[in-house]
Structure formats: C-alpha cells, structure tokens
Amino acid sequence: MEKLSTKPRRSLTNAIAALRTRAWAMHQKDASLLIQARRDVDLQQPYVAQVQQALMGNTEGKTIANVTPTWVNQRLKALGAVVSTFEQTTASVLTKACPYINI
C-alpha cells in the first residue's frame, strides 16, 4: 500500500487560499486558527512570496480577496519576475476547461 503524502501541494492557487485563510484567521482573533494559518502560508513558499510581490503596488485594485493565479503570472511577467512554466500551463488549461470560473 502506498503511503500518502501529508505535505500539501505547493502552487499559486494554494498560496492564495492560504493567504486568504490567514487574513480570515486574523479577523477571527483566534490564536489557534492563526497559528495553523501561518503554518499553511509557510508551507506554500515561494508561491506566497510571488503573490505578495504581484500585489505590491498594483494599480488595478487587486487584493487577496480577488486575486487569481493568472493575474499573478501576468503581473510578475510585467514586473520581469520568473514565473513557473507549470503554473502557466495549469492556469491556461483550467481557464480553457472552465471559462466561466475565475481562477
């Protein structure tokens, strides 16, 4: 029997979710939720750093509540940052497969 990995898959999508959860936990003022949310954010590095870099100084009004992996990739390209080819491919496939869902 194969052992299942307990380490979450790291991606821009999961990094965005972890950052949203951390923001929610801060508003809840629950120490245990916040501790777990911070751990989840740490597990999603370096993607969390990419999301944060893309959000800094944006003039489009994007926040962690409405940012998408596709937007992060586009913003990082505009800033001249390196974007993972895997992330670009994943976002492209999902956008084509689910055009009505904002990823």
Side-chain angles (χ1 to χ4, degrees):
M1 180 178 266
E2 234 179 274
K3 183 178 178 183
L4 297 176
S5 174
T6 58
K7 192 173 183 179
R9 185 180 170 295
R10 294 185 315 169
S11 67
L12 281 175
T13 301
N14 290 344
I16 292 167
L19 287 167
R20 287 177 180 161
T21 301
R22 185 181 69 180
W24 175 80
M26 285 183 198
H27 289 288
Q28 295 301 311
K29 298 179 182 170
D30 183 326
S32 63
L33 284 176
L34 188 55
I35 290 168
Q36 183 59 47
R38 285 182 177 159
R39 285 184 188 143
D40 292 344
V41 167
D42 289 341
L43 289 173
Q44 292 299 322
Q45 290 294 353
Y47 295 102
V48 166
Q50 290 179 350
V51 173
Q52 291 170 328
Q53 180 182 4
L55 284 169
M56 283 189 278
N58 85 79
T59 57
E60 301 170 41
K62 291 288 187 181
T63 66
I64 195 61
N66 60 12
V67 72
T68 64
T70 302
W71 181 85
V72 171
N73 282 332
Q74 291 169 348
R75 177 91 168 123
L76 291 176
K77 278 185 190 175
L79 294 172
V82 177
V83 179
S84 159
T85 304
F86 178 77
E87 284 294 326
Q88 291 174 3
T89 304
T90 302
S92 175
V93 168
L94 289 174
T95 302
K96 289 176 185 170
C98 310
Y100 303 107
I101 298 175
N102 198 10
I103 19 179

